[in-house]
Amino acid sequence: MYLNSAPPPQKNSIQYDGRDLMSNRPILVWFRRDLRLADHPALDAAAATGTPVIPVYILDDAPAGAWALGGASRWWLANSLRALDGDLRERGSRLILLKGDNVAVLCDLARAANAEAVYFTRGYEPFIRTVEMALHVGLKEADVGCRRFGGHLLVEPEAVVNKSGEPFKVFTPFHKACQAKPTPSSALAPPAELTAPARWPKTEPLASWGLEPSKPDWAKEMRQFWTPGESGAQQRLDAFIGKGLAAYAGSRNSPDIDGTSRLSPHLAFGEIGPRQIWHAVERASGEHPARQRGADSFIRELYWREFSYHLLFHCPHLPEKPFRPEFAALPWKQDSQALAAWQQGKTGYPLVDAGLRQLWSIGWMHNRVRMVTASLLCKHLLIPWQTGEEWFWDTLVDADLANNAASWQWVAGSGADAAPYFRVFNPILQGKKFDPKGNYVRRWVPELAEMPAEHIHAPWDAPEAVLREAGVTLGVTYPRPIIAHEEGRRQALEAYAAVKTAGRDSV
Ligand code: FAD
């Protein structure tokens, strides 16, 4: 059904005891969130067999349900698939694109291509684990091999347990346990060439999938800002090591400077693997000891990503339900007007608005600002963290189920090792501390561009003459705060304290 014509002749296969010793039957490599050629154990193993390799990507939104790829991720995916296809073509191969039910498509393709086996990188999302199990069964019935490989994480979630054999719930001991393990093995080189099958299966045109926006074209700034694909990821890593790594520990909290790696979308789509990053950073700090502190701090962040996956793996309901069940009783509010103001970056808190507009514009937001914007939503406004999580899911190019869910729960206070419930970020002080000159706000909230630094994070406190001089009319050119900070904080503490009490009572 998928082949242009008849299956390839089995010319090179050597028969022995009725079994192929050197079969010419192709291996399908099923790509998912591993859109790279280097350090790709499944692809490496397939290439090493010397048999033809058929790389395939399947668009299947059904299993993920509400967590099907969001708009920004779809834009990224289209560009990443294009890049992967280009990289494969340089090695005499290509990427086959198909749409439909993952298991049915792979089983059909395996039969039609007379494939020996399907190789793939394992996933950790609950729905993809279900698909993997179904695929295993389907391929077995079709008498086709099935091999699952690692590659997305430094440490598999089953491999780190506490002294009682349980999964970790706190980051620091989890991190220590990971560090006690042997250092990650070296990253694999990309295969120099890939044997093509005698005939390629049919592929669908990428454009027919409608992954990219046209009218309106909201991806203009994203296009200028990012280079999806494996070489874009490598360039980003090299640039960060050269310019950002040494100062990372000090600058990672400053949204006004380019102080972090911005590797997150590349990691989310697997255009680069954590093992490649780990080794490159270790090598770089070995060469220049001045980079050591930055390297330690950066690698610690990579382990936060590992921790998120650990949590999602052991607690599959993490994206939907609070990790600490007592938080389900929190008296959340449904306020569509407040939600829209937050989504559009019109809350009247300049740091928050800058973050949400940065997100809308380039599909990415600085981590410090993610924390402050998330806190305003689920603490000051008492809007469920899941609502914010869904918005981020749709708008982030680095949307990652594990990181997004674990981070939202961290901010809401309901997660593992979360910020204590009484920590309510003060969006004004956070602005003054982490964007002291106001340059981040000026970049993303142009209506405040002329405000002097001392007033830019609380324009409502500025003297009338300063506002006039800056061309700001509160409530007209820029909104007043959606809720006074002290009022929001008080409400949040009351609501959260009630939950804590209820949780204690019910134990
Ligand atoms: P760097 O500082 O350069 O860090 C390097 C890498 O380490 C990142 O690319 C990321 O993979 C990992 N990392 C860094 N910080 C964290 C963290 N706090 N938790 C887990 N991993 C981390 N990250 C996502 O990748 N996808 C998401 O959907 C996502 N949603 C978030 C939602 C909220 C509410 C918050 C507070 C954070 C979220 N994060 C998410 C974590 C973090 O904000 C981003 O990973 C980071 O900002 C990416 O920028 P960077 O690559 O420059 O990070």
Side-chain angles (χ1 to χ4, degrees):
M1 165 168 141
Y2 293 104
L3 292 180
N4 288 329
S5 48
Q10 306 270 301
K11 217 165 46 189
N12 298 332
S13 101
I14 300 170
Q15 298 284 327
Y16 178 77
D17 276 353
R19 284 175 55 225
D20 283 357
L21 273 191
M22 209 185 101
S23 156
N24 211 26
R25 291 170 66 193
I27 292 173
L28 307 184
V29 176
W30 175 33
F31 281 87
R32 212 178 54 88
R33 282 198 177 237
D34 50 352
L35 304 178
R36 64 178 182 273
L37 302 185
D39 204 28
H40 192 302
L43 181 67
D44 185 74
T49 63
T51 58
V53 171
I54 302 181
V56 55
Y57 182 90
I58 299 162
L59 185 67
D60 180 8
D61 285 333
W67 303 115
L69 288 182
S73 292
R74 281 175 193 269
W75 172 81
W76 190 286
L77 175 67
N79 288 281
S80 194
L81 291 176
R82 218 172 271 129
L84 180 62
D85 183 54
D87 294 342
L88 283 165
R89 281 175 192 269
E90 281 175 16
R91 286 164 175 82
S93 186
R94 65 180 71 163
L95 184 62
I96 301 302
L97 301 175
L98 296 168
K99 198 173 180 181
D101 177 79
N102 282 307
V103 177
V105 170
L106 278 168
C107 289
D108 283 355
L109 180 61
R111 273 194 216 96
N114 189 26
E116 170 99 30
V118 177
Y119 288 9
F120 60 91
T121 308
R122 73 179 290 200
Y124 305 89
E125 296 85 350
F127 45 85
I128 204 72
R129 286 165 65 188
T130 309
V131 169
E132 286 176 12
M133 279 192 286
L135 178 65
H136 183 75
V137 173
L139 290 174
K140 199 164 184 188
E141 279 166 9
D143 208 16
V144 176
C146 177
R147 284 187 69 189
R148 204 174 70 142
F149 294 79
H152 197 61
L153 296 177
L154 294 171
V155 187
E156 295 300 334
E158 302 92 341
V160 211
V161 283
N162 65 19
K163 284 190 185 126
S164 332
E166 301 284 321
F168 284 98
K169 294 181 180 163
V170 179
F171 174 72
T172 305
F174 167 81
H175 186 208
K176 277 197 186 134
C178 292
Q179 285 177 310
K181 298 215 157 274
T183 54
S185 48
S186 326
L188 300 163
E193 60 178 324
L194 290 162
T195 309
R199 285 177 189 82
W200 282 103
K202 273 188 187 154
T203 183
E204 295 176 22
L206 183 60
S208 71
W209 286 2
L211 296 172
E212 293 174 273
S214 54
K215 287 179 190 161
D217 177 12
W218 44 256
K220 269 188 211 135
E221 290 214 45
M222 292 188 195
R223 226 169 273 125
Q224 284 166 14
F225 196 82
W226 300 103
T227 310
E230 188 167 6
S231 45
Q234 193 58 53
Q235 280 160 23
R236 197 45 89 169
L237 176 62
D238 294 344
F240 172 68
I241 287 178
K243 289 194 197 135
L245 184 60
Y248 178 80
S251 56
R252 60 176 285 267
N253 268 314
S254 307
D256 55 336
I257 54 175
D258 192 3
T260 66
S261 70
R262 300 194 182 183
L263 279 166
S264 50
H266 299 289
L267 268 166
F269 281 90
E271 296 167 353
I272 192 162
R275 200 157 60 160
Q276 293 170 278
I277 300 178
W278 192 95
H279 282 288
V281 167
E282 284 294 315
R283 222 173 15 250
S285 67
E287 285 161 9
H288 296 281
R291 290 174 174 159
Q292 190 62 54
R293 193 166 155 256
D296 290 346
S297 168
F298 181 74
I299 285 179
R300 190 181 155 84
E301 293 309 311
L302 279 186
Y303 278 104
W304 271 104
R305 173 179 179 270
E306 301 280 321
F307 187 51
S308 300
Y309 274 88
H310 184 80
L311 293 175
L312 178 65
F313 184 80
H314 292 293
C315 175
H317 66 250
L318 192 75
E320 291 91 22
K321 292 190 192 152
F323 185 83
R324 294 163 194 246
E326 66 268 26
F327 278 81
L330 212 132
W332 298 111
K333 291 182 181 168
Q334 299 299 336
D335 183 339
S336 54
Q337 253 182 316
L339 176 63
W342 181 85
Q343 290 171 331
Q344 291 165 15
K346 292 184 179 166
T347 67
Y349 285 105
L351 183 71
V352 171
D353 292 343
L356 289 156
R357 294 189 203 184
Q358 179 181 34
L359 173 62
W360 183 251
S361 177
I362 62 166
W364 183 91
M365 193 198 300
H366 188 276
N367 180 58
R368 169 63 45 184
V369 194
R370 291 188 203 204
M371 292 193 283
V372 181
T373 53
S375 176
L376 191 96
L377 187 80
C378 62
K379 297 223 163 146
H380 291 76
L381 299 175
L382 282 173
I383 292 177
W385 58 266
Q386 294 93 332
T387 308
E389 182 195 20
E390 282 165 21
W391 180 250
F392 274 26
W393 183 256
D394 193 32
T395 51
L396 279 170
V397 285
D398 66 23
D400 173 298
L401 197 67
N403 271 354
N404 201 30
S407 301
W408 272 96
Q409 293 229 32
W410 184 90
V411 176
S414 60
D417 200 8
Y421 80 96
F422 49 80
R423 182 190 285 183
V424 179
F425 282 98
N426 178 330
I428 309 151
L429 292 184
Q430 291 283 314
K432 288 182 176 169
K433 186 165 175 194
F434 296 109
D435 180 29
K437 295 185 181 147
N439 289 337
Y440 178 71
V441 167
R442 280 191 200 94
R443 163 72 181 86
W444 296 107
V445 188
E447 59 268 39
L448 296 178
E450 301 300 323
M451 283 294 285
E454 63 172 313
H455 293 296
I456 198 165
H457 291 293
W460 58 91
D461 278 342
E464 203 44 53
V466 171
L467 288 172
R468 209 177 315 113
E469 179 87 357
V472 176
T473 311
L474 289 174
V476 179
T477 62
Y478 185 70
R480 293 180 189 282
I482 190 164
I483 186 168
H485 168 61
E486 282 310 325
E487 170 67 4
R489 181 181 148 77
R490 189 187 53 73
Q491 277 189 41
L493 289 183
E494 274 173 23
Y496 274 70
V499 165
K500 292 308 255 188
T501 317
R504 266 202 303 276
D505 291 349
S506 63
V507 171

